[in-house]
Amino acid sequence: PLELREIRDVSGRRDTRQLLRLMIFGMMFGCGLSWFITMQSMSKDIFVPIFVTTFACMAMSTLGTVAAVMGFFLEAKDFIEAEQIANVWACVGFPVFFVISSVSLSAHAHPFGIGGWASTYLSVCGLLSGAFCIMVRLREEKTSTTRGYGNMSCVISWLCAIIVVYGRYGVAGVGVVGTTRVAGIPASVLGTFLCAPILLLLEGEGAGSSRKKYQVSSTKSKQKGLVLSTLTRSNWFAPLLAGTVAVFLASSFYAIFIRGCGIDGSFLFGTGDVIKSQEDVFSHVYGSSRRTTGVGALDDVATMARKSVVHTRTMVAAAKLSGSGIWTSSNFLGPVMHILGLVSTLPSLQCLVKHSWSGPAPSSSRVMLSLPLNILAMFIGQGIPSLIAASTIGLVGGIMQLAASQ
């Protein structure tokens, strides 16, 4: 173990305080980072939610900082110690301290909204997971295990960022106080594109020359983490594309089939909006006294009615969103059209992701047949911004495939 190993400094003398310095650095850096993020995010909240969330974030930051430092400095033959810390961080610490943070249950903000305990906790964990990925990626001596743990931490960081974005802005920005569009683009769609470059930190098994020393021995042992054997420098863009498409399709599926049925985040945490009808979708625009919403007079977007532009855009978005879900629409025509739009994007997106990863280029005739389907999805799926974004990716990708085949 690290605390029992004989370590010598540059002068050759035995160093008996390395573990102590590592723990002090982890506590100072991790706790300072957690304190800064928590104060910036939850400064308007009361004491109890801030204290509980800060405690959980400090514990995760300290453990994550130690894991990142060990992941960078330890030799490949001793990397198992960094694995143990990372496993404790991800499999034990993350769920345990998430539950501890949920005890706060702040009444001032939605758990996954801005200033909420869940979004603050996930922001800290995402940053620490990304730091671990970067530190492992910068190692000079690498094995399939180091790359697998680095890839897993990269995916965790990306997922935390995506959850924070959609928890803050939702699928269409309905019920969000503040700016929900940037240059006409919905904030959730723009946030998905901005989070996608995190996946560029993923590392495959075929690139780099510093791995040859341990490549033979690592392939014989059991692979750990997320090992991407087919990811090379030629398809480095494929994870970014696949992740973005998956998020848009998942959010579209949620808006059509899940939103309003009562098993969303409101059901899990007992707070926030419980949307059970078309009137509940509009409650954030006009205000509502319905017991199913739990929206107070000071918490909804009706307080911003003086700003007519924002109010009008929110009303239009709520109208489109209410007509896209099977649980919130007043008739079946709207959900059926959005389901057809979602299905119409699948052929082109499947070909695009498969081709970008490792598959052969699809035939020109198949691409030509899928292009009109994306145009159709853009027209009939107006209620869900993520569906429009997915169809746009399919359309642009198909055009690029046709241009490459020419």
Side-chain angles (χ1 to χ4, degrees):
L2 182 63
E3 64 271 15
L4 300 179
R5 187 181 308 153
E6 182 176 354
I7 302 174
R8 297 186 180 275
D9 55 18
V10 180
S11 61
R13 293 177 301 180
R14 185 178 179 181
D15 188 358
T16 59
R17 299 181 179 180
Q18 185 185 37
L19 181 61
L20 178 62
R21 294 198 305 270
L22 176 60
M23 296 306 298
I24 292 176
F25 173 76
M27 293 181 63
M28 294 181 64
F29 179 82
C31 293
L33 177 66
S34 299
W35 177 264
F36 175 78
I37 295 177
T38 306
M39 289 298 102
Q40 291 295 321
S41 178
M42 304 179 65
S43 59
K44 297 181 180 180
D45 215 325
I46 57 179
F47 173 76
V48 174
I50 295 178
F51 175 80
V52 176
T53 306
T54 302
F55 170 76
C57 292
M58 283 184 175
M60 291 297 293
S61 296
T62 301
L63 195 62
T65 303
V66 173
V69 174
M70 294 177 64
F72 178 78
F73 284 102
L74 289 181
E75 297 179 0
K77 59 184 179 64
D78 300 322
F79 190 77
I80 187 173
E81 298 184 11
E83 295 177 34
Q84 295 173 355
I85 301 297
N87 291 337
V88 172
W89 187 89
C91 301
V92 179
F94 185 86
V96 168
F97 286 107
F98 185 84
V99 174
I100 293 176
S101 298
S102 66
V103 176
S104 62
L105 290 179
S106 172
H108 289 73
H110 189 275
F112 288 94
I114 186 170
W117 62 265
S119 61
T120 304
Y121 179 82
L122 291 177
S123 298
V124 173
C125 292
L127 287 175
L128 269 298
S129 182
F132 180 84
C133 174
I134 294 174
M135 298 301 288
V136 173
R137 182 70 184 268
L138 294 177
R139 287 175 58 93
E140 294 182 359
E141 189 180 25
K142 300 180 183 179
T143 66
S144 60
T145 300
T146 62
R147 291 189 291 272
Y149 271 82
N151 293 338
M152 183 62 68
S153 61
C154 175
V155 174
I156 293 175
S157 178
W158 174 73
L159 287 176
C160 290
I162 290 295
I163 294 174
V164 170
V165 169
Y166 278 86
R168 169 67 177 92
Y169 297 104
V171 178
V174 177
V176 176
V177 178
T179 303
T180 59
R181 288 178 176 269
V182 179
I185 303 175
S188 58
V189 174
L190 183 61
T192 303
F193 284 116
L194 294 179
C195 293
I198 298 176
L199 296 176
L200 295 178
L201 294 174
L202 293 174
E203 194 171 11
E205 296 294 304
S209 58
S210 59
R211 308 170 189 162
K212 296 181 180 179
K213 182 177 180 180
Y214 289 92
Q215 189 69 28
V216 178
S217 61
S218 64
T219 53
K220 295 180 180 179
S221 60
K222 183 179 178 180
Q223 293 180 341
K224 300 179 181 180
L226 180 61
V227 179
L228 303 175
S229 57
T230 59
L231 182 62
T232 61
R233 292 181 178 178
S234 60
N235 60 353
W236 60 273
F237 193 78
L240 186 150
L241 177 62
T244 303
V245 168
V247 170
F248 286 148
L249 293 179
S251 59
S252 301
F253 182 88
Y254 166 81
I256 297 174
F257 296 100
I258 300 179
R259 181 179 173 85
C261 68
I263 60 173
D264 53 3
S266 307
F267 174 80
L268 295 175
F269 297 98
T271 56
D273 306 330
V274 181
I275 299 174
K276 296 183 179 180
S277 65
Q278 186 182 19
E279 289 80 6
D280 289 333
V281 177
F282 285 92
S283 63
H284 283 297
V285 182
Y286 297 109
S288 174
S289 59
R290 289 178 57 96
R291 294 181 179 180
T292 56
T293 60
V295 177
L298 298 178
D299 298 329
D300 52 44
V301 182
T303 57
M304 302 181 65
R306 301 183 190 90
K307 301 181 180 180
S308 59
V309 175
V310 176
H311 186 266
T312 302
R313 289 178 178 176
T314 306
M315 184 179 62
V316 172
K320 293 181 179 180
L321 186 63
S322 65
S324 63
I326 60 176
W327 302 98
T328 57
S329 179
S330 58
N331 56 71
F332 287 98
L333 180 60
V336 169
M337 292 177 61
H338 285 81
I339 292 174
L340 291 177
L342 179 61
V343 174
S344 300
T345 62
L346 296 180
S348 59
L349 293 177
Q350 180 185 7
C351 293
L352 184 61
V353 173
K354 186 177 180 180
H355 179 213
S356 64
W357 195 276
S358 60
S363 61
S364 300
S365 59
R366 184 175 181 179
V367 176
M368 287 292 295
L369 290 176
S370 63
L371 289 181
L373 296 178
N374 289 285
I375 298 176
L376 176 65
M378 295 176 65
F379 280 99
I380 65 178
Q382 292 290 324
I384 308 176
S386 56
L387 180 57
I388 300 176
S391 59
T392 303
I393 292 176
L395 179 63
V396 175
I399 294 176
M400 294 178 63
Q401 287 178 326
L402 286 178
S405 62
Q406 298 296 331

